[in-house]
Amino acid sequence: MASSNTPIPVDDGFNEYESAVKRQKSTTSKVWDEMTKLECENKNELKAQCNHCKTVLSAKSSSGTSHLRRHLNSCLKKVNKDITQYTIANQPSLGGVPFIKNYKFDADECRQAISIFLVCGKHSFRTVDEPGFRHMMRIASPNFKNISRHTAARDVLMYYAKERDRVKEELAKAPGLICLTFDNWNSEHTNDEYICITAHWVDKDWKLQKRIIRFRALFPLYDGLNIADEVVLCLSQWGIDKKIFSITLDNASYNDVMVSCLKNRFRANRAILCDGAFFQVRCCAHILNLIVKAGLELADDVVGKI
């Protein structure tokens, strides 16, 4: 390919969230869901207080947490509160009578739900610092500990990394080939060029799936050669560079250059069907839009008078 000597930027955005995953703390003992660490004047002497009976116990790291667990198992006030760990099931049993099921607060699941809330609602990370949000969480789940906007941002990035790995696994298991849709556009505010690539495939249950696998700003120059490098890098990172059937594009001139480069690359790897005869698909919606614009230009004077 003509751009084979062009270095591809290492900072491609695919692994920019790995550091957030690596910073994730290891799982701590479940006893701390029902114990509170107390600050002592002597930094080497740590104390733990039972949230149920307020008994203070030693919490040195050398002592472990077995004695704390034994206390919780024998705590009388905890036994009296165990009824709060049960809830009426939303769905009644087969006999039509509601039944009681076990419920246990899960802090990790709650924080993941907050991440989904922030992303799907396009909310600012500062939302978790707002008094109204914290009041809502305190009423909904008294056991939930407030998090800062920085923690919320890290949670979202870690959740993204997990979802990205899951989608990568789905793409690897796809029984057939994968089709791509692709578009570039320019931001009116920052004058940056953006790229979006979506993968479409049919899963083993014959259901059509689609996922965005690339959405980021491009580095200049915005020509067909550099965009082809960006697409090849994306496909390689997702492990689908040998599973592509077609790519749907608009009629921009640089797309023809990009498709030619991609065809040459795929031919070299023997990863293209019918020598690329069905590789490029013109976007019907874009063509229809051009037809309508051309038609309106003919009636521009009449439309202007109306």
Side-chain angles (χ1 to χ4, degrees), residues 114-133:
I114 291 176
S115 298
I116 297 174
F117 163 78
L118 294 174
V119 173
C120 293
K122 303 180 180 66
H123 300 291
S124 167
F125 293 133
R126 294 179 180 272
T127 302
V128 299
D129 288 331
E130 294 178 2
F133 179 85

PDB file of all heavy atoms in Angstrom, residues 114-133:
ATOM      1  N   ILE A 114     -24.835   3.133  38.310  1.00  0.00           N
ATOM      2  CA  ILE A 114     -24.618   4.578  38.220  1.00  0.00           C
ATOM      3  C   ILE A 114     -23.846   4.914  36.948  1.00  0.00           C
ATOM      4  O   ILE A 114     -24.129   5.904  36.266  1.00  0.00           O
ATOM      5  CB  ILE A 114     -23.885   5.087  39.471  1.00  0.00           C
ATOM      6  CG1 ILE A 114     -24.804   5.001  40.694  1.00  0.00           C
ATOM      7  CG2 ILE A 114     -23.410   6.526  39.277  1.00  0.00           C
ATOM      8  CD1 ILE A 114     -24.137   5.395  41.993  1.00  0.00           C
ATOM      9  N   SER A 115     -22.860   4.082  36.592  1.00  0.00           N
ATOM     10  CA  SER A 115     -22.103   4.301  35.359  1.00  0.00           C
ATOM     11  C   SER A 115     -23.029   4.246  34.149  1.00  0.00           C
ATOM     12  O   SER A 115     -22.934   5.077  33.239  1.00  0.00           O
ATOM     13  CB  SER A 115     -20.985   3.260  35.227  1.00  0.00           C
ATOM     14  OG  SER A 115     -20.056   3.366  36.285  1.00  0.00           O
ATOM     15  N   ILE A 116     -23.922   3.252  34.125  1.00  0.00           N
ATOM     16  CA  ILE A 116     -24.873   3.132  33.022  1.00  0.00           C
ATOM     17  C   ILE A 116     -25.801   4.348  32.990  1.00  0.00           C
ATOM     18  O   ILE A 116     -26.110   4.890  31.916  1.00  0.00           O
ATOM     19  CB  ILE A 116     -25.687   1.832  33.165  1.00  0.00           C
ATOM     20  CG1 ILE A 116     -24.758   0.617  33.064  1.00  0.00           C
ATOM     21  CG2 ILE A 116     -26.786   1.759  32.113  1.00  0.00           C
ATOM     22  CD1 ILE A 116     -25.451  -0.706  33.326  1.00  0.00           C
ATOM     23  N   PHE A 117     -26.234   4.807  34.162  1.00  0.00           N
ATOM     24  CA  PHE A 117     -27.093   5.991  34.262  1.00  0.00           C
ATOM     25  C   PHE A 117     -26.398   7.219  33.677  1.00  0.00           C
ATOM     26  O   PHE A 117     -26.990   7.987  32.902  1.00  0.00           O
ATOM     27  CB  PHE A 117     -27.472   6.219  35.722  1.00  0.00           C
ATOM     28  CG  PHE A 117     -28.007   7.590  36.019  1.00  0.00           C
ATOM     29  CD1 PHE A 117     -29.317   7.921  35.692  1.00  0.00           C
ATOM     30  CD2 PHE A 117     -27.207   8.540  36.633  1.00  0.00           C
ATOM     31  CE1 PHE A 117     -29.808   9.183  35.970  1.00  0.00           C
ATOM     32  CE2 PHE A 117     -27.697   9.807  36.916  1.00  0.00           C
ATOM     33  CZ  PHE A 117     -29.002  10.135  36.568  1.00  0.00           C
ATOM     34  N   LEU A 118     -25.121   7.417  34.010  1.00  0.00           N
ATOM     35  CA  LEU A 118     -24.380   8.585  33.527  1.00  0.00           C
ATOM     36  C   LEU A 118     -24.187   8.540  32.019  1.00  0.00           C
ATOM     37  O   LEU A 118     -24.354   9.550  31.329  1.00  0.00           O
ATOM     38  CB  LEU A 118     -23.021   8.673  34.229  1.00  0.00           C
ATOM     39  CG  LEU A 118     -23.043   8.946  35.735  1.00  0.00           C
ATOM     40  CD1 LEU A 118     -21.638   8.861  36.315  1.00  0.00           C
ATOM     41  CD2 LEU A 118     -23.649  10.310  36.035  1.00  0.00           C
ATOM     42  N   VAL A 119     -23.825   7.356  31.502  1.00  0.00           N
ATOM     43  CA  VAL A 119     -23.530   7.239  30.072  1.00  0.00           C
ATOM     44  C   VAL A 119     -24.795   7.315  29.231  1.00  0.00           C
ATOM     45  O   VAL A 119     -24.871   8.089  28.270  1.00  0.00           O
ATOM     46  CB  VAL A 119     -22.771   5.924  29.786  1.00  0.00           C
ATOM     47  CG1 VAL A 119     -22.613   5.708  28.289  1.00  0.00           C
ATOM     48  CG2 VAL A 119     -21.403   5.951  30.460  1.00  0.00           C
ATOM     49  N   CYS A 120     -25.806   6.528  29.582  1.00  0.00           N
ATOM     50  CA  CYS A 120     -27.024   6.483  28.777  1.00  0.00           C
ATOM     51  C   CYS A 120     -27.777   7.809  28.816  1.00  0.00           C
ATOM     52  O   CYS A 120     -28.406   8.198  27.830  1.00  0.00           O
ATOM     53  CB  CYS A 120     -27.937   5.353  29.263  1.00  0.00           C
ATOM     54  SG  CYS A 120     -27.247   3.705  28.983  1.00  0.00           S
ATOM     55  N   GLY A 121     -27.711   8.514  29.936  1.00  0.00           N
ATOM     56  CA  GLY A 121     -28.397   9.796  30.049  1.00  0.00           C
ATOM     57  C   GLY A 121     -27.545  10.982  29.663  1.00  0.00           C
ATOM     58  O   GLY A 121     -28.001  12.122  29.744  1.00  0.00           O
ATOM     59  N   LYS A 122     -26.274  10.708  29.270  1.00  0.00           N
ATOM     60  CA  LYS A 122     -25.340  11.780  28.879  1.00  0.00           C
ATOM     61  C   LYS A 122     -25.194  12.813  30.001  1.00  0.00           C
ATOM     62  O   LYS A 122     -25.143  14.019  29.771  1.00  0.00           O
ATOM     63  CB  LYS A 122     -25.786  12.467  27.584  1.00  0.00           C
ATOM     64  CG  LYS A 122     -25.948  11.524  26.396  1.00  0.00           C
ATOM     65  CD  LYS A 122     -26.387  12.279  25.157  1.00  0.00           C
ATOM     66  CE  LYS A 122     -26.558  11.334  23.970  1.00  0.00           C
ATOM     67  NZ  LYS A 122     -27.654  10.379  24.159  1.00  0.00           N
ATOM     68  N   HIS A 123     -25.153  12.328  31.244  1.00  0.00           N
ATOM     69  CA  HIS A 123     -25.012  13.214  32.393  1.00  0.00           C
ATOM     70  C   HIS A 123     -23.544  13.522  32.668  1.00  0.00           C
ATOM     71  O   HIS A 123     -22.658  12.718  32.361  1.00  0.00           O
ATOM     72  CB  HIS A 123     -25.636  12.579  33.640  1.00  0.00           C
ATOM     73  CG  HIS A 123     -27.097  12.285  33.508  1.00  0.00           C
ATOM     74  ND1 HIS A 123     -28.056  13.267  33.440  1.00  0.00           N
ATOM     75  CD2 HIS A 123     -27.769  11.104  33.416  1.00  0.00           C
ATOM     76  CE1 HIS A 123     -29.248  12.726  33.319  1.00  0.00           C
ATOM     77  NE2 HIS A 123     -29.100  11.409  33.298  1.00  0.00           N
ATOM     78  N   SER A 124     -23.299  14.670  33.262  1.00  0.00           N
ATOM     79  CA  SER A 124     -21.947  15.033  33.677  1.00  0.00           C
ATOM     80  C   SER A 124     -21.519  14.174  34.863  1.00  0.00           C
ATOM     81  O   SER A 124     -22.352  13.743  35.672  1.00  0.00           O
ATOM     82  CB  SER A 124     -21.903  16.518  34.059  1.00  0.00           C
ATOM     83  OG  SER A 124     -20.703  16.832  34.737  1.00  0.00           O
ATOM     84  N   PHE A 125     -20.204  13.922  34.974  1.00  0.00           N
ATOM     85  CA  PHE A 125     -19.696  13.188  36.127  1.00  0.00           C
ATOM     86  C   PHE A 125     -19.982  13.939  37.425  1.00  0.00           C
ATOM     87  O   PHE A 125     -20.040  13.341  38.494  1.00  0.00           O
ATOM     88  CB  PHE A 125     -18.195  12.943  35.989  1.00  0.00           C
ATOM     89  CG  PHE A 125     -17.840  12.005  34.864  1.00  0.00           C
ATOM     90  CD1 PHE A 125     -16.822  12.305  33.975  1.00  0.00           C
ATOM     91  CD2 PHE A 125     -18.524  10.819  34.695  1.00  0.00           C
ATOM     92  CE1 PHE A 125     -16.501  11.444  32.940  1.00  0.00           C
ATOM     93  CE2 PHE A 125     -18.222   9.953  33.665  1.00  0.00           C
ATOM     94  CZ  PHE A 125     -17.208  10.270  32.789  1.00  0.00           C
ATOM     95  N   ARG A 126     -20.164  15.260  37.340  1.00  0.00           N
ATOM     96  CA  ARG A 126     -20.455  16.068  38.528  1.00  0.00           C
ATOM     97  C   ARG A 126     -21.827  15.750  39.122  1.00  0.00           C
ATOM     98  O   ARG A 126     -22.136  16.168  40.237  1.00  0.00           O
ATOM     99  CB  ARG A 126     -20.398  17.559  38.179  1.00  0.00           C
ATOM    100  CG  ARG A 126     -19.003  18.061  37.796  1.00  0.00           C
ATOM    101  CD  ARG A 126     -19.037  19.534  37.451  1.00  0.00           C
ATOM    102  NE  ARG A 126     -17.714  20.020  37.084  1.00  0.00           N
ATOM    103  CZ  ARG A 126     -16.806  20.489  37.941  1.00  0.00           C
ATOM    104  NH1 ARG A 126     -17.129  20.534  39.231  1.00  0.00           N
ATOM    105  NH2 ARG A 126     -15.632  20.902  37.540  1.00  0.00           N
ATOM    106  N   THR A 127     -22.636  15.013  38.363  1.00  0.00           N
ATOM    107  CA  THR A 127     -23.975  14.669  38.868  1.00  0.00           C
ATOM    108  C   THR A 127     -23.896  13.938  40.200  1.00  0.00           C
ATOM    109  O   THR A 127     -24.744  14.126  41.076  1.00  0.00           O
ATOM    110  CB  THR A 127     -24.707  13.797  37.831  1.00  0.00           C
ATOM    111  OG1 THR A 127     -24.796  14.503  36.595  1.00  0.00           O
ATOM    112  CG2 THR A 127     -26.108  13.439  38.305  1.00  0.00           C
ATOM    113  N   VAL A 128     -22.877  13.076  40.376  1.00  0.00           N
ATOM    114  CA  VAL A 128     -22.782  12.291  41.612  1.00  0.00           C
ATOM    115  C   VAL A 128     -22.418  13.162  42.810  1.00  0.00           C
ATOM    116  O   VAL A 128     -22.530  12.711  43.954  1.00  0.00           O
ATOM    117  CB  VAL A 128     -21.747  11.157  41.454  1.00  0.00           C
ATOM    118  CG1 VAL A 128     -22.154  10.208  40.337  1.00  0.00           C
ATOM    119  CG2 VAL A 128     -20.338  11.714  41.189  1.00  0.00           C
ATOM    120  N   ASP A 129     -21.972  14.400  42.561  1.00  0.00           N
ATOM    121  CA  ASP A 129     -21.645  15.316  43.657  1.00  0.00           C
ATOM    122  C   ASP A 129     -22.842  16.184  44.048  1.00  0.00           C
ATOM    123  O   ASP A 129     -22.785  16.891  45.065  1.00  0.00           O
ATOM    124  CB  ASP A 129     -20.477  16.242  43.259  1.00  0.00           C
ATOM    125  CG  ASP A 129     -19.154  15.488  43.200  1.00  0.00           C
ATOM    126  OD1 ASP A 129     -19.023  14.501  43.940  1.00  0.00           O
ATOM    127  OD2 ASP A 129     -18.263  15.898  42.426  1.00  0.00           O
ATOM    128  N   GLU A 130     -23.888  16.157  43.255  1.00  0.00           N
ATOM    129  CA  GLU A 130     -25.032  17.026  43.519  1.00  0.00           C
ATOM    130  C   GLU A 130     -25.806  16.541  44.753  1.00  0.00           C
ATOM    131  O   GLU A 130     -26.011  15.341  44.928  1.00  0.00           O
ATOM    132  CB  GLU A 130     -25.962  17.058  42.302  1.00  0.00           C
ATOM    133  CG  GLU A 130     -25.330  17.700  41.079  1.00  0.00           C
ATOM    134  CD  GLU A 130     -26.258  17.682  39.884  1.00  0.00           C
ATOM    135  OE1 GLU A 130     -27.407  17.198  40.039  1.00  0.00           O
ATOM    136  OE2 GLU A 130     -25.844  18.151  38.805  1.00  0.00           O
ATOM    137  N   PRO A 131     -26.248  17.469  45.595  1.00  0.00           N
ATOM    138  CA  PRO A 131     -26.991  17.078  46.805  1.00  0.00           C
ATOM    139  C   PRO A 131     -28.252  16.275  46.482  1.00  0.00           C
ATOM    140  O   PRO A 131     -28.598  15.343  47.213  1.00  0.00           O
ATOM    141  CB  PRO A 131     -27.341  18.425  47.447  1.00  0.00           C
ATOM    142  CG  PRO A 131     -26.315  19.376  46.926  1.00  0.00           C
ATOM    143  CD  PRO A 131     -26.001  18.926  45.541  1.00  0.00           C
ATOM    144  N   GLY A 132     -28.952  16.628  45.400  1.00  0.00           N
ATOM    145  CA  GLY A 132     -30.168  15.903  45.054  1.00  0.00           C
ATOM    146  C   GLY A 132     -29.900  14.448  44.712  1.00  0.00           C
ATOM    147  O   GLY A 132     -30.659  13.551  45.116  1.00  0.00           O
ATOM    148  N   PHE A 133     -28.810  14.192  43.964  1.00  0.00           N
ATOM    149  CA  PHE A 133     -28.465  12.814  43.607  1.00  0.00           C
ATOM    150  C   PHE A 133     -28.084  12.026  44.860  1.00  0.00           C
ATOM    151  O   PHE A 133     -28.500  10.877  45.034  1.00  0.00           O
ATOM    152  CB  PHE A 133     -27.312  12.814  42.609  1.00  0.00           C
ATOM    153  CG  PHE A 133     -26.863  11.451  42.197  1.00  0.00           C
ATOM    154  CD1 PHE A 133     -27.508  10.767  41.167  1.00  0.00           C
ATOM    155  CD2 PHE A 133     -25.800  10.825  42.839  1.00  0.00           C
ATOM    156  CE1 PHE A 133     -27.106   9.496  40.790  1.00  0.00           C
ATOM    157  CE2 PHE A 133     -25.388   9.555  42.471  1.00  0.00           C
ATOM    158  CZ  PHE A 133     -26.044   8.891  41.438  1.00  0.00           C
TER     159      PHE A 133
END
